[in-house]
Structures are given as structure tokens and as C-alpha cells.
Amino acid sequence: RGLRVAGDHVFVDKLRWNFRPPKRGQITVFDTDDIATLPPQTHYIKRMVALPGESVSIDPPRLLINGKRVNTHETMRKIMNETHPYKGYKLVPIGHGANQQDWQMRTTNDVLRLAMDQYFTLGDNTSNSKDGRYWGTVPQKNLVGPAVLIYWPFSERWGLTR
């Protein structure tokens, strides 16, 4: 219940981040304008994993923030657990993608350092997700808000996002 699938319609809280900053683990909606390799004038939905000023890397299946394993958010713990269907966070496969940019996470030595106006997002299913590992950070100006509710289709997925 509440897991996202392509084609789901979600309510986005466009006001929350005017009063408090985004948090790690939130499902985040952002616009793609001025993000390298992404089509402009569209919206993406991913999970917020790194915040301004942090450094992020992946040591499969673990996500590392400032060199330490992230295990503070329940949903992220499930994703990183090797018994979960997604089997944790993965590196970008060698030779995958047309451009090899500095921010593409191809080895455990690749570390991305975020500026004070940048955020980093990943998809929950890293085996099938084009996410920040491929195109880098999301500028603060692109953040729309956290996704809070799947309202369509009206099925077992209807409800709060998680």
C-alpha cells in the first residue's frame, strides 16, 4: 500500500518546504529544467537521499552519507536490506550511458559532494531507475515538494506514499 508505480497520480505538498527544509527519505517531486541529460519542462519523483553540504557515495548495497552508512529512515533501511526485492543501492554499470560525467557513480570510490543549494535523489528500485547516479544533483530551485498521497488509480496502492 502506498508504493509508487509509473502512471500513479499523486498529491504534492507545494507549501511544506517554504516552512521547513526537505528531509532525507522523503519522496520528492522536482522539475527537470536545467538538469543535464533530463528532458526540460517535466517532473520527476524520486527519494531524497542527500542534503546540502553532504557527500554521498554507494558501497553496494549501502548508501553512504559523509562516509557513514545511512540507516536512519525505515524505508531506506528496507531498500538497503539485501533481502528486499530491490537488493539495496547499486552503482552505475560500467559503459552505461552516453556521457561519463564526474558525478556518475561507477565505483565505490566515486563521491559526490553537494553544494549548499543542491540535493541528491535516488529511485527505490535502483536496478531499473535512472536517477541522480546518472544525472547528478537537483538544484534547490527545482524542488516542488514532497509527494504525500497516491490518489489514482483507486486500488490497493491508494493512500499515503512511503
Side-chain angles (χ1 to χ4, degrees):
R1 185 173 179 277
L3 290 173
R4 302 165 332 278
V5 174
D8 282 350
H9 295 227
V10 298
F11 281 116
V12 178
D13 183 347
K14 293 182 178 182
L15 295 175
R16 184 178 306 179
W17 292 341
N18 290 315
F19 302 102
R20 71 174 87 146
K23 295 179 185 175
R24 187 180 342 279
Q26 285 182 312
I27 297 172
T28 304
V29 176
F30 58 93
D31 70 56
T32 59
D33 292 344
D34 301 320
I35 298 177
T37 74
L38 294 184
Q41 299 180 348
T42 191
H43 291 92
Y44 273 31
I45 183 168
K46 300 290 178 189
R47 188 169 302 277
M48 180 74 66
V49 298
L51 306 172
E54 295 180 331
S55 64
V56 61
S57 59
I58 297 173
D59 184 11
R62 304 289 179 207
L63 177 69
L64 300 150
I65 302 294
N66 298 327
K68 296 179 182 173
R69 288 182 177 178
V70 174
N71 60 4
T72 57
H73 188 274
E74 179 63 26
T75 303
M76 293 175 74
R77 273 200 307 270
K78 288 179 184 174
I79 293 166
M80 293 181 289
N81 182 340
E82 292 185 59
T83 62
H84 189 273
Y86 302 146
K87 295 190 179 10
Y89 292 101
K90 298 181 181 342
L91 295 166
V92 174
I94 301 296
H96 197 278
N99 291 332
Q100 292 197 6
Q101 303 291 333
D102 291 339
W103 35 257
Q104 288 182 322
M105 297 182 163
R106 297 181 184 280
T107 73
T108 56
N109 294 324
D110 293 338
V111 177
L112 178 63
R113 289 169 180 74
L114 279 66
M116 294 311 291
D117 65 343
Q118 295 177 325
Y119 293 83
F120 189 73
T121 62
L122 291 174
D124 287 352
N125 181 352
T126 62
S127 297
N128 295 306
S129 182
K130 297 288 189 204
D131 52 31
R133 297 169 300 153
Y134 292 86
W135 36 258
T137 61
V138 176
Q140 184 172 1
K141 68 182 175 82
N142 290 46
L143 297 178
V144 176
V148 293
L149 176 74
I150 297 171
Y151 68 88
W152 185 261
F154 195 69
S155 66
E156 68 277 352
R157 290 194 317 276
W158 185 93
L160 296 176
T161 59
R162 51 185 173 123

